[in-house]
Amino acid sequence: MGNGMAVIIDGTKISQDVRGEIRGEALRLKDDRGVVPGLAVILVGDDPASHIYVARKEKACAEVGFLSREYKLPGDTGEAQILDIVGQLNADDTIHGILVQLPLPRHINPDSVINAIDPKKDVDGFHPLNVGRLLTGNPFHTSCTPSGILELLDRYEIDIQGREAVIVGRSNIVGKPLALMLLARHATVTVCHTRTRNLPEVTRRADILVAAAGSSEMITGDMVKDGAVVIDVGISRLPAGKLVGDVAFDQVSEKASYITPVPGGVGPMTIAMLLKNTLHAAKNFT
Ligand code: NAD
């Protein structure tokens, strides 16, 4: 490869396929057992981006026949009140997934809230029990963005086993869980971050390169090996308003064998995986 012909991984199409399958499975679950998957979303404050994300999640639930319930709380809501709602949702048999939209206002400790969620309903996969179970194998739920990346690799029949995977970014929601998932699939995994020395030298080793740094177009053509699979998680808006990823798409697509675009790559998969986790909870934990 490396002949300027990278296959563009179509996350929009794959996410539609996945949501179609989930809709079918949800219908069967209702017919067979009378169970309708239910997702509760807690949103505190008036962060505009969070409101957009929550609206998308609700719409996605409706499209696959799930029940969704939203709690839109004012920014000055106390932690005790949020913990109280989480406690009620943990005990509610019609709710299989609980999602607390992050970031929370500063006076609320996100760890306290996440720790209060029943791990079997923690469809974001952020509870320490789910993180620990991912580390040792066999989690109830795994973080949605990394799961979406694996789904894309699998649907494009891209080999993982034995290959060099390099991840740029070590956050708890993307880089670290992705490293564990790729390790479980027998990749040789390297995780890079802001203090990595000679980043281009490391990224050039990658057969599978995942950029999750949140730094616009930082992965340039010279940082990518010919024929690499390049997955771009980053989303940034340039001053002129254009949405870009962490990968300089034009340069890198001339060297890569496969590449995800921004938008339309990893992004659409995240919500699809949230639905998948909610379905999983409804099927297995009711
Ligand atoms: P974060 O800020 O929590 O973590 C960024 C990580 O990248 C850190 O570990 C940091 O050390 C590393 N990093 C930053 N700049 C770097 C550089 N120049 N060189 C090497 N390492 C560097 O971010 P996050 O929450 O993991 O998100 C990363 C990006 O992915 C953001 O753009 C975010 O908007 C996007 N994102 C997209 C989705 C999606 O659904 N598509 C989901 C989550 C996050």
Side-chain angles (χ1 to χ4, degrees), residues 53 144-146 167-176 191-196 199 211-216 218-219 223 232-236 244-246 262 265-271:
Y53 294 143
C144 298
T145 300
I167 303 166
V168 184
R170 58 170 165 188
S171 72
N172 286 338
I173 64 165
V174 187
K176 279 191 229 166
V191 182
C192 305
H193 45 79
T194 43
R195 290 179 217 176
T196 297
L199 185 66
S215 175
S216 55
M218 66 168 286
I219 304 292
M223 296 169 77
D232 192 353
V233 185
I235 309 172
S236 322
V244 297
D246 288 352
V262 175
V266 174
M269 294 304 292
T270 299
I271 290 184

Side-chain angles (χ1 to χ4, degrees), residues 37 66 96 120 139-141 274-286:
F66 289 9
H96 308 95
K120 290 186 170 139
F140 297 131
H141 296 295
L274 174 70
L275 299 172
K276 196 169 179 177
N277 282 348
T278 305
L279 177 70
H280 175 74
K283 276 169 109 172
N284 295 293
F285 306 137
T286 48

